[in-house]
Amino acid sequence: MLKRTLMGLLRSHEQTGDKAKDPLLKSHYYKLSKDKTWEEVLSTLKKIQGYRIIHEVPSVGEIVLEKRTVTGRTMDITVSVIGVNPLTSAVDVYSASRGSLGDLGSNYRVIIELYRVLDKKLSAYKTTAVK
């Protein structure tokens, strides 16, 4: 966590993906169709305290959230639901802080928190990466 805080002095964004070096930032896969995953992710995100849904585009699979930090900064978070095949979907998150200075690792912590909540809700469908 100290490494993330130090990196956060300069960086004000974080994202997940298949090629992420940090295992906690790898894409999360679920054995559900894209539409079903979309419904579950959207309903889960609506219930999380402190986050506000700004925009949702079901056809593209993107949900844009906003979160205010304790220090008054605003974070813009994009959650993407991607259909890998008819029975599997991936969820990726991009989080960025508004402002000129770094985020002290807060975007990293937000992504970990969102993945934890989604994995808890969708634990029965969690799977490993599709080759």
Side-chain angles (χ1 to χ4, degrees), residues 1-11 102-105:
M1 220 23 109
L2 178 62
K3 177 184 171 188
R4 283 288 160 189
T5 303
L6 292 174
M7 286 175 57
L9 289 171
L10 303 172
R11 291 175 56 172
D103 64 2
L104 299 176

Side-chain angles (χ1 to χ4, degrees), residues 49-52 54 65-77 98 110:
Q49 291 287 331
Y51 293 86
R52 187 170 68 108
I54 302 295
L65 306 163
E66 184 179 83
K67 176 183 169 86
R68 295 229 181 250
T69 64
V70 177
T71 59
R73 290 184 78 174
T74 303
M75 299 171 79
D76 297 308
I77 304 149
R98 295 181 199 166
V110 162

Side-chain angles (χ1 to χ4, degrees), residues 28-44 80-91 118-128 130:
H28 285 215
Y29 291 87
Y30 303 99
K31 284 268 187 207
L32 287 171
S33 68
K34 180 185 175 191
D35 293 336
K36 186 65 177 157
T37 304
W38 168 266
E39 292 170 15
E40 294 290 339
V41 168
L42 184 61
S43 69
T44 303
S80 301
V81 178
I82 304 136
V84 178
N85 61 44
L87 298 175
T88 308
S89 298
V91 175
L118 291 173
D119 285 348
K120 187 176 178 184
K121 169 79 173 174
L122 300 169
S123 61
Y125 307 105
K126 184 134 172 59
T127 184
T128 57
V130 178

